[in-house]
C-alpha cells in the first residue's frame, strides 16, 4: 500500500506496542526504512494535541519522524521472542505449582496436619503419609497431588532460566558502552535536578523485570550461598558490611549485567581465581 504512493519514504515510524515486532518485520521485508519509537516519547509528543484521534496520532508520529525528535528502540529477533515466550511460560507454570502446593498445605491444616519444611521431591510422599487412612480426605487431596506431579514434570521441560539475559539483550553490539546494560535494565539510580535541587533516588526499575529479578537473585546467591572467594564476592561482602544485604546486592547486580555482556561479546568465561592485574576473565576453551 505504501509503495503504491510513489513517494520516497525516508523514515516510517511505528510506536512500540504488543504487535510492533510482527509489524516491524513485515514492513521491513518490503524494503521500507522502519523505525520503532519509544512509547514514552510518543506519549509525551502526542499529549500536546488537544483532541486525541487516530488521525491526530498519525500526524503526530509523522511530525516526530520529520523532526527527528524520537528515540529508536531495538526490535527483538524471532529467536529472542521465542526464548522470551519460554521464560514467561516457565514463570507462569512455576507460580501455578506453588499455588497448588500452598493450597494442599492449607487444606490439611484444619485437620491438624502440618507439612512443614520439605523438599520438592519428598512433598508428595509427605502429604500422602499425613492423610493415610482417611478416605474422605484422600479423595480430595490425592487428585491435587496427581495434578501437581504432572505440572512439575512439565516445569522441568521449561528449565531454561539461564537464557533470560540472552533473550533480553538479544544483540550485544547495540549497546555502545557495556555499562549501559545496567541502566537499560533499570539498575541505575534515578535523579531529579531542577535549579539548586538535586536528588538521587532508588533504582529506576525500568526495562525487563524478569531479567532484573534473575540478576538480583544471582547477586544474593553470590553473597550467601557460594563458599568460594573471588574478587566480585569480596566486593559484595564489603558492601554488605556498610549497608544491608538488599542494598548491597544492587551494585553487584549491575556488575553482573556488565560482566555477562562482556563475556558474550568477547567469548570469555568467568574464572574464580582471577583478580588483580590478570582481570576476571580468561579466554574460553
Amino acid at each position: 500500500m505504501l509503495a503504491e504512493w510513489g513517494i520516497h519514504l525516508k523514515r516510517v515510524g511505528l510506536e512500540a506496542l504488543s504487535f510492533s515486532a510482527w509489524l516491524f518485520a513485515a514492513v521491513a521485508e518490503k524494503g521500507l526504512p522502519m523505525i520503532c519509537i519509544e512509547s514514552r516519547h510518543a506519549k509525551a509528543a502526542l499529549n500536546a494535541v488537544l483532541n486525541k484521534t487516530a488521525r491526530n496520532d498519525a500526524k503526530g508520529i509523522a511530525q516526530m519522524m520529520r523532526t527527528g525528535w524520537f528515540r529508536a528502540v531495538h526490535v527483538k529477533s524471532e529467536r529472542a521472542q521465542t526464548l522470551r515466550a519460554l521464560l514467561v511460560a516457565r514463570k507462569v507454570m512455576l507460580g501455578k505449582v506453588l499455588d497448588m502446593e500452598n493450597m494442599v498445605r492449607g487444606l490439611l491444616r484444619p485437620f491438624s496436619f502440618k507439612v512443614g519444611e520439605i523438599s520438592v521431591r519428598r512433598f508428595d510422599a509427605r502429604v500422602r503419609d499425613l492423610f493415610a487412612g482417611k478416605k474422605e480426605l484422600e479423595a480430595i487431596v490425592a487428585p491435587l497431588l496427581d495434578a501437581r506431579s504432572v505440572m512439575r514434570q512439565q516445569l522441568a521441560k521449561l528449565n531454561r532460566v539461564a537464557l533470560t539475559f540472552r533473550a533480553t539483550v538479544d544483540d550485544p553490539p547495540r549497546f555502545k558502552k557495556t555499562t549501559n546494560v545496567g541502566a537499560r535494565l533499570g539498575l541505575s539510580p534515578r535523579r531529579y535536578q531542577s535549579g539548586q535541587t538535586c536528588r538521587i533516588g532508588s533504582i529506576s526499575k525500568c526495562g525487563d523485570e524478569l531479567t532484573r529479578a534473575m540478576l538480583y537473585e544471582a547477586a544474593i546467591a553470590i553473597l550467601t550461598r557460594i563458599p568460594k572467594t573471588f574478587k566480585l564476592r569480596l566486593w559484595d561482602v564489603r558492601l554488605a558490611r556498610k549497608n544491608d544485604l538488599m542494598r548491597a546486592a544492587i551494585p553487584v547486580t549491575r556488575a553482573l549485567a556488565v560482566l555477562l555482556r562482556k563475556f558474550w561479546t568477547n567469548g570469555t568465561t568467568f574464572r574464580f581465581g582471577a583478580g588483580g592485574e590478570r582481570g576476571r576473565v580468561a579466554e574460553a576453551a
Side-chain angles (χ1 to χ4, degrees):
M1 178 179 176
L2 296 176
E4 295 177 356
W5 292 353
I7 303 175
H8 175 69
L9 299 176
K10 189 175 182 180
R11 300 190 189 102
V12 179
L14 175 65
E15 188 177 357
L17 299 171
S18 57
F19 287 99
S20 296
W22 172 72
L23 291 174
F24 184 93
V27 179
E29 289 180 355
K30 305 297 182 180
L32 295 175
M34 288 294 300
I35 297 178
C36 191
I37 60 178
E38 191 177 27
S39 299
R40 290 181 297 176
H41 280 204
K43 180 180 179 181
L46 299 178
N47 282 343
V49 181
L50 181 61
N51 297 320
K52 178 175 174 57
T53 61
R55 182 182 294 272
N56 288 340
D57 288 348
K59 288 182 179 180
I61 295 177
Q63 185 71 2
M64 293 173 62
M65 294 293 101
R66 188 184 67 83
T67 59
W69 194 80
F70 62 88
R71 177 181 296 176
V73 297
H74 172 71
V75 179
K76 294 182 180 180
S77 61
E78 185 177 354
R79 171 63 175 171
Q81 295 286 350
T82 304
L83 293 177
R84 177 68 181 176
L86 172 64
L87 295 169
V88 172
R90 185 187 185 279
K91 181 180 179 180
V92 174
M93 180 67 73
L94 179 59
K96 297 301 181 182
V97 171
L98 295 178
D99 291 342
M100 182 71 71
E101 293 176 355
N102 291 332
M103 183 175 61
V104 172
R105 291 174 181 268
L107 291 176
L108 295 177
R109 192 175 294 273
F111 299 93
S112 70
F113 295 146
K114 186 176 181 180
V115 179
E117 296 184 3
I118 197 71
S119 63
V120 174
R121 295 182 178 179
R122 297 175 55 192
F123 182 86
D124 188 280
R126 168 64 175 169
V127 174
R128 293 184 185 275
D129 290 340
L130 290 176
F131 63 72
K134 294 183 176 295
K135 295 183 179 181
E136 295 181 355
L137 189 60
E138 181 180 359
I140 299 173
V141 181
L144 298 178
L145 293 177
D146 295 338
R148 171 193 172 273
S149 178
V150 175
M151 294 173 68
R152 280 289 180 184
Q153 294 176 4
Q154 297 299 323
L155 181 62
K157 298 179 181 179
L158 300 175
N159 190 11
R160 298 292 186 272
V161 183
L163 298 177
T164 309
F165 186 82
R166 187 180 186 91
T168 302
V169 175
D170 187 29
D171 185 22
R174 68 189 178 96
F175 295 97
K176 297 181 179 180
K177 295 181 180 180
T178 306
T179 54
N180 293 342
V181 181
R184 186 62 62 88
L185 294 176
L187 296 171
S188 60
R190 291 186 177 187
R191 174 175 292 182
Y192 175 83
Q193 192 174 51
S194 177
Q196 297 181 352
T197 303
C198 182
R199 294 196 301 265
I200 298 179
S202 59
I203 58 175
S204 62
K205 294 185 180 180
C206 62
D208 186 69
E209 181 181 357
L210 186 61
T211 305
R212 186 168 60 252
M214 183 269 295
L215 292 174
Y216 186 82
E217 183 179 351
I220 295 294
I222 288 176
L223 183 61
T224 59
R225 297 185 181 182
I226 299 180
K228 293 185 179 181
T229 301
F230 51 96
K231 192 173 182 179
L232 183 61
R233 187 177 188 276
L234 292 177
W235 178 50
D236 195 0
V237 171
R238 288 196 297 267
L239 292 175
R241 290 174 181 174
K242 296 180 180 179
N243 305 292
D244 58 281
L245 178 62
M246 309 294 286
R247 293 186 178 182
I250 293 177
V252 180
T253 303
R254 186 164 53 248
L256 285 175
V258 173
L259 286 174
L260 287 174
R261 194 265 182 185
K262 283 186 177 181
F263 296 156
W264 191 352
T265 55
N266 299 337
T268 52
T269 182
F270 187 84
R271 189 172 60 188
F272 280 98
E277 297 179 357
R278 293 185 298 172
R280 299 181 187 147
V281 297
E283 291 298 330

